[in-house]
Amino acid sequence: MKVVGLIWVVLALVSCALGSVPFLIDNNKLTTDDFQPQQIHIAIGETSQDIVVTWTTPNETPASVVEFGTQDLTTSTQGSSVIFTDGGDEHRQMWIHRVTLKDLLPDTVYWYHCGSTLGWSEVFLFKTWKNGTDWPVSVAMYGDMGAVNPQSLSRLQEDTQRGMYDAVIHVGDFAYDMDSNNAEVGDEFMRQIQPIAAYVPYMTCPGNHEQKYNFSNYRARFSMPNYQDTESLFFSWNMGPVHFISVNTEAYYFLEYGIKPLSRQYAWLISDLEEATKPEVRAVRPWIILFGHRPMYCSNSDHDDCTRVQCLTRVGLPLIHTYAMEELLDKYGVDLAVWAHEHSYERLWPMYNFTVMNGSTTEPYTNPMAPVHITTGSAGCDEIHDHFLPAQPSWTAYRSIDYGFTRVKVFNNTHLNWEQVSDDLNGKIIDSVWLVRDRHESYKKLRHEDI
């Protein structure tokens, strides 16, 4: 037996002796690359003190381990792995590894790497969030970024590694598509976002480009809060003064997978909003930001559902109008609704049911009487841009087809700022607006008081 082969066998036997799942290595077929961690990314766990580290290996390894610490890699935590089989012709298989780092110290930099005795990743770092609600939250938000023409990618990588964001939120449509070429495009995309996603929580929602094989690549690759139950399709988390909600708009459009995903999500969304808007909860965490892939409104020149008055996510299913989301945004006083899907950027005036409800003529976003909608789907993909109707409707305030992404910063309980970054203009801020709310309550209630 060759020396290299003997070393691998010894390592495997040692790993098995330590309690790992036994497996055999065929030295004639496998190389070190088959066990090397790749596509490393992190997400927030069940609480803000937990981080879930996820990665992929082409083959099974004896364990799934993260070694981490504040100065040295002195602590070791073991997780689990599952085999994922893509639905393409080749039925490619890969192993998805997940390790949860629990009860981390707040506002602390941790160094980590992941892997097993058969191979380790490079060393990364992340900074945990502060305790409580009295601290400014900064996130980047965008959708529709592909493995080809990911125009905003390098700027996002640089921003992230400079420490500009507490999290990055990808509002659906990844890789174009993760299942393409027997999931090799998905692998390439996950490697491309690693310089972002290995350093800050990379939070997601599914888009229409994830639907192949019942969203299997998306469900397998991401580990959002409560992923064991909802497979990362819908979830929420708290971050400083903000309650973030991720919804699966695709449940309205791919009914071939059944009505249960939609009905279950809708019941969960009501329950989540009920909890988030309890007076004692909203007094300390007032902001609610909801995001999902398909907008309720848009003024693009295509024929997507957001161009129609009876948009499904807005009014619910045809004829019966069940599972309407817009009325929930209004009832529970959701501050900001962020969408993608359209390969453009569009900011609306505060609006409910096609009626503009600005706070005032001079300060439309100060104490508005309806949610604010933003579409940010221009991060870059091989489908290029979606153009707008020549005539700008009265309910839309700003439109751009520049490649770019959105920065959202919540400074305190009353002031939120968003900026649109144009990658075409070398990072220039082309749109910047303050949203100010002195009272975070149901818009219906506020409008009734205003009568």
Side-chain angles (χ1 to χ4, degrees), residues 238-256:
N238 295 321
M239 188 178 183
V242 186
H243 182 66
F244 284 97
I245 302 174
S246 171
V247 295
N248 175 22
T249 59
E250 304 318 294
Y252 288 83
Y253 297 93
F254 294 101
L255 295 176
E256 61 265 38

Side-chain angles (χ1 to χ4, degrees), residues 118-132:
L118 298 185
W120 293 95
S121 73
E122 56 264 60
V123 176
F124 303 100
L125 63 86
F126 62 82
K127 186 177 183 181
T128 53
W129 300 338
K130 295 180 180 179
N131 269 343

